[in-house]
Amino acid sequence: MQRRSLRVGGLMIGLVLVGAGHVASAVAADARLEPDIRLEPGLLPLAPGSATEPTHPPVEIDWSTSLRGSYIKDRDGERFELQAVPRGTLDYQGRRGTLSASGEVTITRQEHEDPQIGAFDIGISGAYALADQTSAEGAASFTMTNPEATIRDIADTTADPADTISGTVLGSVTRQFGKLSVSAEGGAERTVYGETRLADGTNELNGDRNLWSVEGGLRVSYALTPILDVFARGGANRDYFDHPRPENGQFANATGTSFSVGVLGNWDGWMQAEASVGYGKRNFDAIAFEDAESLLYSARLTFNPYEPLTFSAGVDNSFGLPTSDSDATSTVTTNAYADLTYTANSWLRLRAAADVYRTRTMAEDETEKGYGYGVGADYLLNTHTQLTADYGYARAETAGEPAEDRHRVTFGVTLAR
């Protein structure tokens, strides 16, 4: 059964210190300059090829550590939770390309339990200009999640949900032909599930959930005006599972296809909007599984009327895969969200967020729905220390089961380099 909770985390506020330096300039012969000044070593004239502007290193390394304490109230009662989240980043800026890498570990300690690694993420991304009108982008990531360390509202029959390890590689090449832009996209993903420990003490293997996924697509866009672009995208993906399903002895291998058209607008940065509509289908090789199809749509809006205020909202309907404790093969999720950020001054930022969702499990015709909201604040104590405070509420309703409510109050501090 798919579970969902709203997390409203603290956001880092970056302060940039601009240092003033001396800038030397070559001056032609001037009668007002004293001869002895002109003959000062290293002053005039400048050596050939010498720098006239300050430079910065091509590689920037940064790190931070967040310490959080939370009070949680849900159907399991009241409890406290501690988290430590170290994070590091590396950014490279070259003449023709950029490269970014990041790593983050979430260490969680539930009340009366030993600390556990709840999540581990490593990612790298980059872009490179192949030619004047051709560019390439790529990204790779590795993620490990431990649901037991981050959720408590698991199924009554489950004592320890399965850990998940996934790796993803994505890439694209884009070519400009005047107002026309064409992008070829492709990628691969590997997902592996650990064992699920049931409440009766037995273990359930999840080898039939382990899979390889490959995908590819083509996106074509055209600039109608300096503000509006129209685009069309078609894609296909293929899922290969390691083992057959135990209930019927069949592999759940499937081929997915999708097509969508849309429009994108950008009004000088103060407002951006995108909307698309399309159709998707998921066809299984084995007749034991029911094919799935759905209307796909997406709409997003970012509104920044003046610098301190940013508002964003969106809605989308998309295909997905169920969690490891479900016997279904496909899900369709409709999700709507809104976020508001207000920077009151250089040391205080206020945040608010809300979302609502509905997930329909194909074939089983099971529906889960829920909503959540939260508010938070970031207070910059100094250039290296930030304090955060958050409150979040989430509600989930699944057919045939009682509704689940969760309240979370979190206080934290982030120490940055």
Side-chain angles (χ1 to χ4, degrees), residues 313-381:
V315 60
D316 58 73
N317 193 62
S318 59
F319 270 118
L321 293 176
T323 55
S324 60
D325 56 358
S326 172
D327 293 331
T329 54
S330 301
T331 61
V332 175
T333 298
T334 304
N335 180 67
Y337 66 90
D339 297 279
L340 179 68
T341 301
Y342 177 71
T343 304
N345 47 50
S346 60
W347 46 266
L348 179 63
R349 175 184 294 180
L350 305 176
R351 297 175 278 105
D355 77 334
V356 58
Y357 73 95
R358 180 180 181 273
T359 298
R360 181 166 62 94
T361 303
M362 311 298 288
E364 293 186 351
D365 200 24
E366 183 181 85
T367 300
E368 179 184 347
K369 59 183 179 179
Y371 64 89
Y373 57 83
V375 294
D378 304 315
Y379 181 84
L380 193 66
L381 200 61

Side-chain angles (χ1 to χ4, degrees), residues 56-62 89-102 124-128:
H56 60 83
V59 178
E60 294 184 2
I61 300 176
D62 204 353
T89 61
L90 181 149
D91 293 303
Y92 167 78
Q93 182 75 41
R95 296 185 61 183
R96 297 179 64 89
T98 61
L99 184 67
S100 298
S102 65
I124 184 170
S125 63
Y128 189 79

